[in-house]
């Protein structure tokens, strides 16, 4: 690829849009997992840990 081809405004705009879409969905996924992790209480986490410990035995 020639260096001038990378400075084409259409390629820059298209690449920028792709970057924004990828960042949007990545952030959305991270926020969802963080929210589900944050909503658990100590009692729920303790029960889940106890359950996995029993399965390992």
């Amino acid at each position: 690829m020639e260096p001038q081809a990378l400075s084409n405004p259409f390629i820059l705009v298209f690449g920028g849009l792709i970057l924004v879409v990828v960042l949007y969905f990545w952030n959305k996924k991270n926020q969802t997992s963080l929210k589900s992790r944050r909503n658990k209480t100590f009692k729920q986490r303790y029960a889940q840990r106890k359950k996995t410990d029993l399965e390992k035995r």
Side-chain angles (χ1 to χ4, degrees):
M1 236 183 196
E2 296 179 19
Q4 292 174 343
L6 295 176
S7 63
N8 185 348
F10 295 113
I11 292 176
L12 292 175
V13 169
F14 186 68
L17 286 174
I18 290 175
L19 180 64
V20 167
V21 168
V22 167
L23 289 176
Y24 171 77
F25 284 109
W26 187 17
N27 185 42
K28 190 174 180 178
K29 177 181 168 276
N30 285 340
Q31 289 298 321
T32 303
S33 65
L34 184 65
K35 185 178 178 184
S36 69
R37 213 177 309 136
R38 201 180 310 146
N39 284 342
K40 290 185 180 177
T41 63
F42 173 78
K43 191 175 184 179
Q44 291 171 335
R45 283 193 302 264
Y46 178 77
Q48 181 67 30
R49 228 179 337 191
K50 192 172 181 180
K51 181 181 174 184
T52 56
D53 286 345
L54 288 174
E55 290 174 355
K56 288 181 182 178
R57 291 182 187 180

